[in-house]
Amino acid sequence: MIEISINPIIFSIGSFNLGWYGLWIGVGVTALLAWVIYSTIKYKPGFNIENIMTVAIVAIPSALIGARLFHVIDYWDYYVAHLNEIIGFEGLAIWGALIFGVGAVFVYCQFAKVNFFKIADTAIPGLFLAQAIGRLGCLFTGCCYGNVTNVSWSISYTNSASHGYYDSQFLDAGTGFHPTQIYESLFMLAMFFLFAFVLRRQRWPVGTLFIGYIAAYSLWRIVLGFFRINESVLWVFSQAQLIGIVGLLIVAPLMWWYISRSEQQQNQNQKENNQKIE
């Protein structure tokens, strides 16, 4: 078992506290923005840096609002008794960030006459990278850990300021929690390399990477939910798992249609090339 003794607060100046949670999320957002700028300059997908800056201004606050809203809904039994704590950033839900952030970008693209799916495809590898980095904030803070287990890489929290300290006091000898934060970081890092350096080099219809992201992350959250301590919303499924199931039901037929369309386009191009040769 691995004991984590890190204090969630890096330093304090008066009433201001800089925590690992906010720091790693900030680093993740910066990595996402840097990736999109890099890709825009290198691949020239049909929009410019000014569009990217505007998208960031629109998406970031929208994502934060959505992330907080979904978190509060998920833990409503607590917040209904602590209404003064609803506004804050101590807890964020990634699904809320994605839904509100993507929705805000979609609306912006309609007004700016920019192809939403081109922006989405450009950003997707960076989004995987941002999530890989951001989950480290959960690990250092002591939240989003998994179920109790006796695997050798299980974790427990020994710093009394950590969010996971209280639950760690009730662990039996030789047991700890599944480090689901690390699981997710590793999965997201693998997806970053897959989408950035393998899938991106292929010719896919515009929007394929975006749909692939939804499919990959939806499936991941469904699986991860069985390793995490979550309140069940419907049967044995948590809020995140139910959203993942809905996501898969939406994108599965879309993926089939996109792949079929891609194959048809390739066949058509091949026929045209053969006719030109003849």
Side-chain angles (χ1 to χ4, degrees), residues 74-181:
D74 203 18
Y75 294 92
W76 181 244
D77 289 342
Y78 172 84
Y79 285 105
V80 74
H82 303 82
L83 296 177
N84 62 310
E85 297 182 25
I86 288 179
I87 298 178
F89 296 99
E90 284 297 316
L92 302 173
I94 185 61
W95 273 126
L98 291 172
I99 292 172
F100 273 62
V102 169
V105 173
F106 180 81
V107 171
Y108 161 76
C109 288
Q110 305 315 301
F111 282 100
K113 308 295 184 184
V114 178
N115 190 311
F116 165 77
F117 289 106
K118 284 188 177 181
I119 286 185
D121 281 357
T122 302
I124 286 308
L127 186 56
F128 278 121
L129 181 60
Q131 289 181 250
I133 296 172
R135 274 301 178 198
L136 296 178
C138 298
L139 177 67
F140 285 28
T141 301
C143 63
C144 303
Y145 46 83
N147 298 321
V148 176
T149 179
N150 59 0
V151 297
S152 59
W153 58 86
S154 64
I155 59 174
S156 67
Y157 292 92
T158 58
N159 191 300
S160 59
S162 172
H163 291 226
Y165 178 76
Y166 177 79
D167 287 342
S168 296
Q169 304 308 299
F170 297 96
L171 291 170
D172 294 330
T175 65
F177 303 112
H178 273 292
T180 47
Q181 313 98 319

Side-chain angles (χ1 to χ4, degrees), residues 26-273:
V27 173
V29 171
T30 302
L32 168 58
L33 187 57
W35 170 265
V36 177
I37 292 174
Y38 161 78
S39 297
T40 301
I41 294 173
K42 182 174 181 179
Y43 299 108
K44 298 179 174 58
F47 47 86
N48 54 39
I49 301 300
E50 182 179 348
N51 292 131
I52 296 304
M53 293 298 104
T54 306
V55 165
I57 293 171
V58 169
I60 292 173
S62 299
L64 289 174
I65 292 171
R68 183 60 180 173
L69 177 62
F70 273 54
H71 170 79
V72 170
I73 292 174
D74 203 18
Y75 294 92
W76 181 244
D77 289 342
Y78 172 84
Y79 285 105
V80 74
H82 303 82
L83 296 177
N84 62 310
E85 297 182 25
I86 288 179
I87 298 178
F89 296 99
E90 284 297 316
L92 302 173
I94 185 61
W95 273 126
L98 291 172
I99 292 172
F100 273 62
V102 169
V105 173
F106 180 81
V107 171
Y108 161 76
C109 288
Q110 305 315 301
F111 282 100
K113 308 295 184 184
V114 178
N115 190 311
F116 165 77
F117 289 106
K118 284 188 177 181
I119 286 185
D121 281 357
T122 302
I124 286 308
L127 186 56
F128 278 121
L129 181 60
Q131 289 181 250
I133 296 172
R135 274 301 178 198
L136 296 178
C138 298
L139 177 67
F140 285 28
T141 301
C143 63
C144 303
Y145 46 83
N147 298 321
V148 176
T149 179
N150 59 0
V151 297
S152 59
W153 58 86
S154 64
I155 59 174
S156 67
Y157 292 92
T158 58
N159 191 300
S160 59
S162 172
H163 291 226
Y165 178 76
Y166 177 79
D167 287 342
S168 296
Q169 304 308 299
F170 297 96
L171 291 170
D172 294 330
T175 65
F177 303 112
H178 273 292
T180 47
Q181 313 98 319
I182 298 177
Y183 297 166
E184 181 153 333
S185 287
L186 293 175
F187 176 79
M188 292 299 158
L189 197 59
M191 291 298 100
F192 165 69
F193 283 104
L194 175 63
F195 276 67
F197 303 110
V198 178
L199 297 181
R200 189 177 178 82
R201 295 179 178 179
Q202 309 298 318
R203 289 190 174 183
W204 303 98
V206 175
T208 302
L209 295 186
F210 174 65
I211 292 175
Y213 168 84
I214 297 176
Y217 190 62
S218 295
L219 182 59
W220 169 252
R221 287 310 301 261
I222 293 171
V223 173
L224 184 68
F226 294 112
F227 292 89
R228 273 185 56 174
I229 299 175
N230 289 305
E231 183 178 348
S232 297
V233 175
L234 181 64
W235 296 313
V236 297
F237 299 110
S238 66
Q239 180 198 78
Q241 288 177 302
L242 289 176
I243 297 174
I245 291 171
V246 172
L248 279 181
L249 291 175
I250 292 173
V251 301
L254 283 176
M255 288 186 69
W256 176 84
W257 178 74
Y258 261 70
I259 293 173
S260 298
R261 193 177 76 166
S262 178
E263 292 177 348
Q264 290 173 1
Q265 186 63 45
Q266 289 178 0
N267 292 335
Q268 182 64 31
N269 292 339
Q270 185 63 41
K271 288 181 180 179
E272 291 177 359
N273 292 332

